[in-house]
Amino acid sequence: QLQLVESGGGLVQPGGSLRLSCVASGSTLRNYAIGWFRQAPGKEREGVSCVSKNGVVAYHDSVKGRFAISRDDAKVAVSLQMNSLTPEDTAVYFCAARLPTYSSCTLSGATYASWGQGTQVTVSS
């Protein structure tokens, strides 16, 4: 339904920071619960963080205190600020949207209907 695009990935040293952004072509994200997911080579997809339609946020335990999800003022983009990065954070990061009938968000990807193409995050010295 939505065409989502992620940006902001790259190569960063351990302890560094990156800010990922998720936008939809031709739409704001105001009416969608949005999640960030990641998948490392040989590992299962993992829910990282999500934000509900009314602003409730959730984080995986592995990133709590280091990552922060937010919407911009116009609700055009959802960002994931990633601080204190470690090699364990290396993965392709995806944003995804639930159908607009869902208000809440979840770190399980099964009910997300639209997915971006992914952006590579590599944490290495």
Side-chain angles (χ1 to χ4, degrees):
Q1 184 175 357
L2 293 178
Q3 289 76 55
L4 299 176
V5 180
E6 306 95 335
S7 62
L11 176 64
V12 65
Q13 297 265 3
S17 298
L18 287 172
R19 187 175 182 90
L20 307 183
S21 180
C22 175
V23 299
S25 60
S27 179
T28 72
L29 298 176
R30 185 182 315 272
N31 295 319
Y32 300 90
I34 301 295
W36 282 98
F37 300 83
R38 65 187 180 187
Q39 188 163 26
K43 296 185 177 181
E44 297 293 322
R45 184 180 63 199
E46 178 180 69
V48 177
S49 182
C50 67
V51 56
S52 76
K53 289 171 67 173
N54 61 8
V56 177
V57 301
Y59 298 95
H60 192 276
D61 285 345
S62 65
V63 307
K64 190 173 184 179
R66 299 189 297 122
F67 291 11
I69 192 169
S70 63
R71 297 182 187 267
D72 68 5
D73 290 342
K75 308 298 186 288
V76 172
V78 172
S79 295
L80 185 70
Q81 178 68 44
M82 306 187 295
N83 299 323
S84 301
L85 287 163
T86 78
E88 300 298 320
D89 298 313
T90 295
V92 177
Y93 284 70
F94 301 88
C95 68
R98 302 188 90 184
L99 291 173
T101 51
Y102 291 99
S103 292
S104 64
C105 78
T106 175
L107 296 183
S108 171
T111 59
Y112 286 80
S114 301
W115 293 79
Q117 82 287 352
T119 185
Q120 176 71 47
V121 171
T122 302
V123 185
S124 176
S125 59

